[in-house]
Every structure is written in structure tokens, then in C-alpha cells.
Amino acid sequence: PLAHDTVARIIELFPNRIVAVNIHSHLFGLFGNPNVMGNAYDFRTIDGDTVVTMLGGIISVPSAAIDMKVHPPDSTIINYNRGSWVQYVSNQLIVSSPFNIEIASNFDMNSRNLKIVTKFETSQSVSIPVFYSIALIEDNIVDKQFVDTAIVNNYLHQHILRDYITNTKGEILATSSYTGDTYIKVLNYIIPIEWDITNVKIIVYTHQSDNIWEVYQTENKNAL
């Protein structure tokens, strides 16, 4: 909840410029176990575990990774000092991005197939391989949650990672990219019946590689 509250304030400070993904992991031990409180939902995913591990692991919560890069004077991607997150976000927002991202989607209510069409356009040449990742999150899920030492029964969970459509380390977009280059990617995903499609969002981001995940640009769109 402390991370959630901090991210909510950052979103208010920079409206329409922030994309948040809330990861629950089996690696969090007691704090990630829904059985402790008798939750209706289990937000933990194998993809979430993989992302937490590939970003260097976690020694305490709450924590965050801002554009999945190390922000000096930190020496780790995952940061535990909530007081620094606003400044790190502010620093990243003034960095120009070499990519523009546009997302279109279509959802079939009968088959529950979500078709995602993503257009990537290069605005600055990049001489190294560029990767892209696509994930799905869900907002407005009501369930129990520890807040301080109390259990809140109707806590509103936001930005919950549901699944990665691509590999969690990303898929290759281009080995090099020149200004004006355009790439189109089309993916399909069957939305589980227990997800509320009206609260599902598509998250797309471009990043440096499959082992240095520093984010170039991120975009999001409601699935419906």
C-alpha cells in the first residue's frame, strides 16, 4: 500500500505521462501470500517472479523500478527509498525517446480474444538492438490488503500485472533502427473469464535489450 500511495501521487503530479505496473511475487514471502488474509484473489504470477529476479531481486517491500534502470547514486535497479521516486521519474520525463508507440485493440466478447496491433515509429536513429515488451494489467480489483497493521477488506488494487504476452525479457524489434522506420506487431490473447475486460489495460514498452532493460518509451491503452 505504501508503494501504491506513492505511485498514485506521482501519477497525479504527471498526469497522462506515467504507466505503472504493480507486481505481486511469490518471492515476497509472507507479504505476498493471499492465504494469510484469506484473499479472494492471488495476484502472484510466474512472470512477476521472473521480472523481479531479472531486475536484481528484492530484499524488502515496498520497492519500485523506475524505467528499469539504475539511478545514481543507487547501485541497483530496484529502489526502496520512496522519497526518491518522484525525482527519478521527473529526471526520466525530460529524456527524449527515440520511439513513438501507438496501440489499437479489438476484443471479441464471444471468444474473449483480444487482438492487439502496435505501431512503433523511430524518431531518432538507434544503432543497437531494440526490444519491445507487451503486458496486461487490471485496475479496480477489490480485495483484502494489509494497511499498516490492519486488514482492509475492500482495498482497491490498481495496476495489477496479470500476464506478459511477450517474453518477460522482451522480443527483438530491430537490430538497428533509423529515423522514420516503422514496425507493426500483431498479437492475440484470450482473456480469462475471471478478468474484468473493462478494467484491463495493455502496456507496451521499448527497451534496450534482453539483459539491459532500460526503457525507451512506454504506452498504455484500455483493452476495451
Side-chain angles (χ1 to χ4, degrees):
L2 292 174
H4 187 183
D5 293 346
T6 303
V7 170
R9 288 195 295 271
I10 292 173
I11 291 173
E12 288 180 357
L13 283 173
F14 306 104
N16 302 315
R17 301 196 68 189
I18 305 299
V19 175
V21 177
N22 186 346
I23 295 177
H24 289 233
S25 170
H26 296 84
L27 307 177
F28 294 173
L30 172 68
F31 296 102
N33 187 346
N35 293 327
V36 172
M37 294 176 287
N39 288 51
Y41 304 101
D42 187 347
F43 300 139
R44 299 174 297 177
T45 63
I46 298 301
D47 282 350
D49 296 346
T50 303
V51 171
V52 169
T53 299
M54 78 185 195
L55 295 182
I58 164 170
I59 59 175
S60 68
V61 292
S63 58
I66 312 299
D67 273 352
M68 300 203 295
K69 63 172 286 186
V70 176
H71 299 268
D74 294 344
S75 58
T76 60
I77 295 175
I78 296 177
N79 177 274
Y80 310 100
N81 180 12
R82 290 181 296 115
S84 65
W85 297 356
V86 171
Q87 187 58 57
Y88 292 167
V89 168
S90 181
N91 292 345
Q92 288 301 104
L93 287 175
I94 63 174
V95 177
S96 61
S97 171
F99 293 95
N100 296 314
I101 301 172
E102 296 180 14
I103 307 169
S105 63
N106 179 266
F107 181 67
D108 185 290
M109 289 290 187
N110 294 319
S111 66
R112 295 191 65 82
N113 182 72
L114 176 64
K115 181 179 181 180
I116 302 169
V117 180
T118 309
K119 176 182 176 182
F120 304 88
E121 186 173 7
T122 310
S123 56
Q124 302 171 29
S125 295
V126 178
S127 59
I128 61 175
V130 176
F131 284 66
Y132 73 97
S133 293
I134 300 179
L136 298 175
I137 65 171
E138 187 174 352
D139 290 329
N140 303 319
I141 304 174
V142 178
D143 204 356
K144 295 179 180 180
Q145 176 64 54
F146 275 122
V147 177
D148 296 323
T149 58
I151 296 178
V152 175
N153 290 317
N154 58 347
Y155 188 86
L156 195 62
H157 294 266
Q158 305 285 13
H159 324 299
I160 297 296
L161 174 65
R162 283 306 203 176
D163 200 6
Y164 267 77
I165 298 180
T166 59
N167 188 299
T168 51
K169 292 185 175 182
E171 309 285 351
I172 187 72
L173 183 66
T175 54
S176 60
S177 190
Y178 300 93
T179 302
D181 285 354
T182 300
Y183 310 90
I184 304 291
K185 299 294 180 180
V186 181
L187 294 172
N188 291 279
Y189 186 92
I190 303 298
I191 300 294
I193 192 68
E194 61 268 23
W195 299 7
D196 183 350
I197 188 62
T198 62
N199 289 320
V200 173
K201 285 185 178 178
I202 304 160
I203 308 295
V204 180
Y205 58 95
T206 52
H207 49 101
Q208 285 196 6
S209 73
D210 61 350
N211 58 19
I212 301 175
W213 299 278
E214 182 173 340
V215 173
Y216 287 123
Q217 180 65 301
T218 308
E219 188 56 82
N220 72 114
K221 179 187 180 298
N222 293 330
L224 194 62

